[in-house]
Structure formats: structure tokens, C-alpha cells
Amino acid sequence: MDRVFIEGLEVDTVIGAYDWERGIRQCLRLDLSFAWDNRPAAAGDDLTLALDYASVSARIQAFAEQAQYQLVETFAERLAEVLMSEFHIPWLHLKLTKPGAVPAATGVGVEIERGCL
């Protein structure tokens, strides 16, 4: 199976369990990989048959704008559900990094894999 990826997508959202975090927007960094059969799109150079990463990125931005979760785990799970459902993606790998959450670390977060290859 082919894969389409988006790396280093930064979104601002309300995320965190502490009171001070509930009133601000914080940056999350997302790296995503999607299973997709690129052959039909490539055969006819047809964008309508490709996984449109610009549309996927815009949907992720819109999701983050509305989201207000305490846990990065919840953000990742809900985002995976939305993307797989709306774009008919059979499998995805999502790495979510919350920069600055732990002072001694560049970032912390979760990686999830959903669906079947």
C-alpha cells in the first residue's frame, strides 16, 4: 500500500488539564501518514482520485480550532476518527507532539496507528 504523509503540521488549540491551560491556545505539531492507493490518481494524473493533503490539512486546522480537550490522547483519537471517516482513509499513523510541556524535553506526546493496511 502506498502512503501519503504530512509532516510538521502545526495547529493551535485549547489543550491541557491545568486551569491556566484552559484559557489559552497552545501549539501542537502533527506528523501523519495515510495508507492510500496512488495508482488510480497517477494513471490519469487525476487530483480527484488522490488523497488531497491540502484538504486534509485544512480539515485538521478546522478540527484543532474547535477542539478543547484536556488530553493529547483524546485529541489524537478524535482527529483520527474524523479523518478516517471523512476522507475514507483505511489506515493512518499519527504522531502528536506538544512542545514545551516538559521543560527538559523538546516535546512530549503520543503516537497512534488506526485501521488496516
Side-chain angles (χ1 to χ4, degrees):
M1 181 62 62
D2 305 320
R3 294 190 187 172
V4 175
F5 65 89
I6 300 169
E7 291 182 349
L9 181 65
E10 293 187 350
V11 297
D12 289 330
T13 192
V14 175
I15 190 81
Y18 298 111
D19 287 342
W20 64 268
E21 292 179 296
R22 307 307 302 155
I24 64 169
R25 300 185 76 72
Q26 297 184 71
C27 179
L28 298 178
R29 187 176 315 112
L30 303 171
D31 297 310
L32 304 105
S33 183
F34 311 99
W36 196 261
D37 185 355
N38 290 323
R39 291 172 294 187
D45 199 27
D46 187 347
L47 175 61
T48 65
L49 299 176
L51 180 57
D52 184 349
Y53 47 80
S55 294
V56 173
S57 297
R59 182 62 181 100
I60 294 168
Q61 292 282 357
F63 175 87
E65 191 171 305
Q66 298 300 316
Q68 294 192 17
Y69 299 112
Q70 292 186 47
L71 302 175
V72 293
E73 292 86 348
T74 307
F75 185 101
E77 285 292 334
R78 299 297 183 274
L79 178 59
E81 291 168 5
V82 165
L83 296 176
M84 292 179 80
S85 172
E86 292 182 15
F87 292 94
H88 309 289
I89 296 167
W91 172 91
L92 68 75
H93 177 267
L94 185 157
K95 178 180 177 183
L96 183 157
T97 304
K98 185 176 178 184
V102 173
T106 303
V108 299
V110 297
E111 286 189 59
I112 64 171
E113 193 173 303
R114 298 293 177 263
C116 298
L117 279 175

